[in-house]
Amino acid sequence: MTTVENTARVHNTKGDIFASYDVADFAVPRGKDEVWRFVSLRRLRGLHDGSAPAPVAATTDVVIPDGGDATAETVGRDDSRIGLAGKPVDRIAAQAWSSFTSATVVTVNKHAVIEQPIDITITGPGEDNVAYGHTIIDVQDGAEATITLTYQGSGTYADNLEIKVGDNARLNIIIDTDWARDAVHLAGHHARLGRDATLRHALACFAGDLVRVVPRVRYDGPGGDAELTGVYFADAGQYFEQRLLVDHAQPNCRSNVMYKGALQGDPESGLPEARTAWVGDVLIRAEAQGTDTYELNRNLIIGDGARADSVPNLEIETGEIAGAGHASTTGHFDDEHLFYLMSRGIPEKAARSLIIHGFFNEVINRIPVESVRERLQARVAEELTIAGLA
């Protein structure tokens, strides 16, 4: 009899969770499984149990700025660069890995410094269609680049993103899930950082029906520096989840995690409540002396019909660290802030709008691309209009 491995099996640490490229190695998820307990499995359109329709193609476009010392290639499944950053840790990520037909590889050559962003756009397969994808970003030793990765269009999409940041290299990557309202998207992100490498990973999630992103960061050498930030705004009927792991396995590395989200439901619409789930795991292994890490998640509830789950976790195997901490809050408007603004003559609606803009701008202002910052600030304004606050 064949035995199927399960991601919920006992393991030493969260960093040692079972991983495989083969979907057959994973049991079909159940609602009580830890890694699936927040999401409604029936909303996954068969991605989790093999009942999804036969896939069609999605489209990937890459624009490299003039003079940029970088390349973009479409490669087959047998390319030797595939799989170097990490393995899938859940069944849907393995399904995407087993099902893609070609991968996009973006390489920033050694010691290249690319001033303007490289733009990657992935367009979904269309309403009622399913597609799988695979993207590799390889920033080689000593290189520096900023990459925007935008998802757009309709349909059901599952993919894996591999990120390799070489020794003394630096990557800013901004991921914008700008889907149509019907879209379902599940993604696994696998990042590896070399010696003294820097990664700035920013995620924006405002659109789509259901979006679940699972980033995992691992250090391959000392001195690495990872910052993971995110903003999300869920309306009635939408479900957004981020479930991340920062695995400190090398000495003298740093990580900083900051995600902020807002939710507004509409109990009279007949739609399900607005839902978000954020799970932030940081593992400091015994050999990772000198680690400095902090993670923060804050959620703002606007009105009724909304629920946010927030679960920060620290797992520490050595006491020889520079610092480690986490914080999580979920709540409504700060009455003191609101009173302060209103006492200075600002109407209540405008005061609430200012508070929400300020809440998000702490994260948005960290994004190094002005056009992206403006786009996200405009989306916040659109959400406030829906909420009747603008």
Side-chain angles (χ1 to χ4, degrees), residues 43-159:
R43 295 181 65 176
L44 301 181
R45 299 178 181 169
L47 291 175
H48 66 299
D49 62 6
S51 64
V56 300
T59 303
T60 300
D61 296 304
V62 181
V63 178
I64 297 174
D66 292 341
D69 191 5
T71 60
E73 307 167 72
T74 300
V75 301
R77 295 182 56 88
D78 58 349
D79 191 279
S80 61
R81 292 166 290 185
I82 293 173
L84 297 180
K87 293 182 180 180
V89 295
D90 64 57
R91 183 180 171 95
I92 294 180
Q95 180 69 68
W97 206 296
S98 300
S99 303
F100 77 89
T101 56
S102 62
T104 299
V105 180
V106 177
T107 304
V108 181
N109 296 324
K110 282 187 177 182
H111 307 298
V113 178
I114 301 180
E115 300 290 346
Q116 298 300 315
I118 297 171
D119 297 322
I120 305 172
T121 303
I122 297 176
T123 304
E127 192 172 357
D128 299 327
N129 290 321
V130 174
Y132 301 100
H134 199 97
T135 306
I136 298 171
I137 295 171
D138 183 6
V139 181
Q140 298 184 343
D141 295 350
E144 297 183 19
T146 295
I147 294 178
T148 65
L149 172 56
T150 302
Y151 294 90
Q152 64 180 22
S154 300
T156 302
Y157 190 69
D159 70 335

